[in-house]
DNA sequence: ACCTGAACACCGTTCAAGT
DNA sequence: ACCTGAACACCGTTCAAGT
């Protein structure tokens, strides 16, 4: 499908072709001989890819029709031929990212024999998505899916179908598969939204050199007055430690234990 | 309506002065205009309350400086005397809502003797917040807290201090209290963000009658074509059922079991 | 067929000016 | 002291017009 990897996987690898300052950096059409048109060649796919890159680089609030247009060397109005407004674009971005999630297929390479391995592999792939696109992740987690019975993160028909089939093929009843869908999405949402928020913490506002007048505002954590919060002050360093990965693994392990219990009863 | 928190104990530590010295705070007893109308009498608190009401009624995207101003019978620019721009206002809204969370105190009425009761009561109070303000909840869940060691939902100094003290008073070590803070916030985030999303699902866009031309985009759930997804089609009604409350209770119960295990080892 | 210029309504924000 | 008019830069979106 669309190469939606972390911002620009391969195009930076081969520099040197960019002589003029305003040329688009990646020659995406190099392998596309027909009609030597060098022009923009807009398409929905190209627009969505550019949108993802812009979000990855500068955050969701920077994704403006006008800015996105200039990224593609095109006026903003041109985008409306391929995209149904900004909301539709955001939807397309979310869909494109979610479609990169791979649900382990029956004949899979990795050790995905049991349902536990199935869920383990899937969970880690969703985590990969969260860490590759931390700025976009709140969007994926927050926007309403197309149908009320779809839940954030695992929010495409294809993925839910594969998820349910995958569990059923590994011994789950219909009912257990459905409740596991709910439990699993809640689990992923809670852990990964937090982790992606940490990852891309310093994203939203461009940092400005502070004026001389105000050294007053508590800029990040240093300015906070912990005088009235002795426990907080004492445990501060422990609270700051980042154990996201271990937490994720531990919580996933416990989720599997819990599901195992529910299966048995 | 919206009973917003007490008179702002900690907001002075956060809400920043930005260089312009503005400190008119304690004018509590100035005589109000005698008119029956809620005359101007602007204040930060009044602005934040109105903002919460506007979000509850029409969603975050409707919270515009100009619309909020008109809600208060005031031009938008007047708000800037009390609020440091839209971002600061959103921050204040989140803080105000989070401050309504009550962490069970040592001498509490309800059966909060054990740490399990403590977490039970607290979890349900956060859930109350989510259900009372579904449209605002993504904001609370998503915005970066003031310090990197604060996590969404339980994101005020006061609350985290009370949380940690509450657990320590009930037998937790420092280390267990900290890890429980992380586990507990992840749990709440995952479950309540989903539940609030369901609650306020039909909020953002006004429903429009679809045009004849493009039957391409799947509008809501009815237009989705489930032909290629037999499992989805078969389980659709089960997927649609709303068991949010039972799921929350069950997951909370399992979380407590898990914590109990971790405490023992 | 594809893109753009011009226009409209709305937005956040600043600042000098009103009262 | 508190509010506003006017202005600026930017935004999403539409539509007739260009090529």
């Amino acid at each position: 499908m669309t190469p939606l990897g972390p911002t620009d996987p391969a195009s930076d690898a081969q520099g040197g072709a960019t002589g003029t300052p305003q040329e688009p950096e990646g020659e995406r059409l190099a392998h596309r001989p027909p009609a030597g048109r060098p022009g923009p060649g807009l398409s929905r796919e190209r627009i969505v890819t550019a949108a993802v890159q812009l979000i990855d680089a500068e955050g969701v609030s920077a994704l403006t029709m006008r800015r996105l247009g200039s990224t593609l060397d095109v006026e903003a109005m041109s985008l409306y031929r391929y995209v149904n407004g900004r909301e539709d674009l955001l939807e397309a971005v979310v869909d494109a990212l979610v479609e990169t999630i791979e649900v382990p297929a029956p004949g899979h390479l990795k050790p995905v024999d049991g349902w536990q391995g199935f869920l383990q592999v899937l969970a880690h792939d969703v985590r990969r998505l969260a860490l590759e696109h931390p700025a976009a992740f709140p969007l994926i987690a927050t926007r309403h899916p197309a149908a009320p019975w779809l839940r954030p993160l695992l929010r495409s028909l294809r993925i839910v179908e594969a998820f349910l089939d995958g569990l059923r093929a590994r011994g789950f009843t219909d009912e257990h598969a459905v409740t596991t869908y709910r439990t699993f999405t809640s689990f992923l949402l809670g852990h990964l939204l937090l982790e992606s928020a940490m990852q891309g913490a310093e994203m939203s506002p461009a940092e400005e050199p502070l004026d001389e007048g105000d050294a007053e505002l508590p800029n990040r954590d240093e300015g906070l007055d912990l005088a009235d919060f002795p426990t907080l002050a004492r445990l501060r360093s422990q609270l700051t430690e980042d154990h996201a990965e271990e937490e994720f693994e531990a919580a996933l392990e416990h989720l599997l234990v819990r599901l195992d219990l529910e299966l048995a009863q």
Side-chain angles (χ1 to χ4, degrees), chain A:
Chain A
M1 283 245 167
T2 318
L4 278 178
T7 326
D8 235 3
S11 77
D12 277 337
Q14 40 180 353
T18 59
T20 43
Q22 281 197 348
E23 283 303 299
E25 64 278 339
E27 266 303 313
R28 299 168 177 84
L29 305 181
H31 64 289
R32 211 176 148 204
R37 190 172 313 196
L42 230 39
S43 75
R44 188 174 231 260
E45 192 181 328
R46 229 162 82 73
I47 291 173
V48 171
T49 302
V52 170
Q53 287 172 354
L54 188 51
I55 292 174
D56 283 344
E58 307 195 38
V60 178
S61 66
L63 179 59
T64 245
M65 299 302 278
R66 288 168 140 106
R67 282 204 51 179
L68 180 59
S70 87
T71 269
L72 293 160
D73 282 316
V74 143
E75 299 302 314
M77 319 92 196
S78 309
L79 304 173
Y80 286 81
R81 218 151 260 276
Y82 304 89
V83 146
N84 226 266
R86 188 173 187 264
E87 288 300 302
D88 180 50
L89 174 60
L90 290 176
E91 212 66 45
V93 164
V94 169
D95 286 348
L97 292 175
V98 168
E99 281 310 317
T100 68
I101 296 175
E102 286 184 43
V103 182
H108 207 265
L109 324 167
K110 305 168 191 173
V112 206
D113 345 305
W115 57 267
Q116 343 230 6
F118 175 79
L119 292 180
Q120 283 264 13
V121 170
L122 178 57
H124 283 96
D125 197 41
V126 178
R127 181 160 183 263
R128 166 206 54 85
L129 175 61
L131 299 186
E132 279 180 4
H133 302 277
F137 201 74
L139 223 55
I140 306 175
T142 279
R143 290 188 73 85
H144 298 312
W149 35 274
L150 290 176
R151 309 181 126 217
L153 303 196
L154 269 38
R155 46 175 288 163
S156 90
L157 299 181
R158 187 209 106 222
I159 288 176
V160 180
E161 177 86 3
F163 181 85
L164 296 173
D165 283 345
L167 287 182
R168 293 195 335 116
R170 291 167 178 86
F172 275 51
T173 65
D174 282 352
E175 172 138 16
H176 272 130
V178 168
T179 62
T180 299
Y181 172 60
R182 293 200 253 258
T183 309
F184 194 62
T185 48
S186 286
F187 160 78
L188 291 176
L189 186 63
H191 281 270
L192 297 182
L193 192 56
L194 273 171
E195 200 170 349
S196 77
M198 279 185 145
Q199 181 95 351
E202 303 296 324
M203 171 77 63
S204 334
E207 300 289 303
E208 291 183 8
L210 55 151
D211 281 21
E212 203 59 29
D214 48 355
E216 189 176 353
L217 68 167
N219 228 2
R220 221 49 188 120
D221 68 81
E222 284 301 340
L224 294 184
D225 188 8
L226 295 187
D228 296 333
F229 306 101
T231 305
L232 230 41
R234 184 160 50 81
L235 299 183
R236 179 186 169 154
S237 67
Q238 291 182 58
L239 283 166
T240 310
E241 292 170 15
D242 177 9
H243 296 311
E245 175 143 17
E246 299 106 286
E247 285 167 41
F248 183 77
E249 302 299 345
L252 178 56
E253 200 59 52
H254 274 277
L255 178 70
L256 296 180
V257 170
R258 173 186 160 189
L259 291 174
D260 200 30
L261 287 177
E262 286 176 358
L263 272 183
Q265 82 189 5

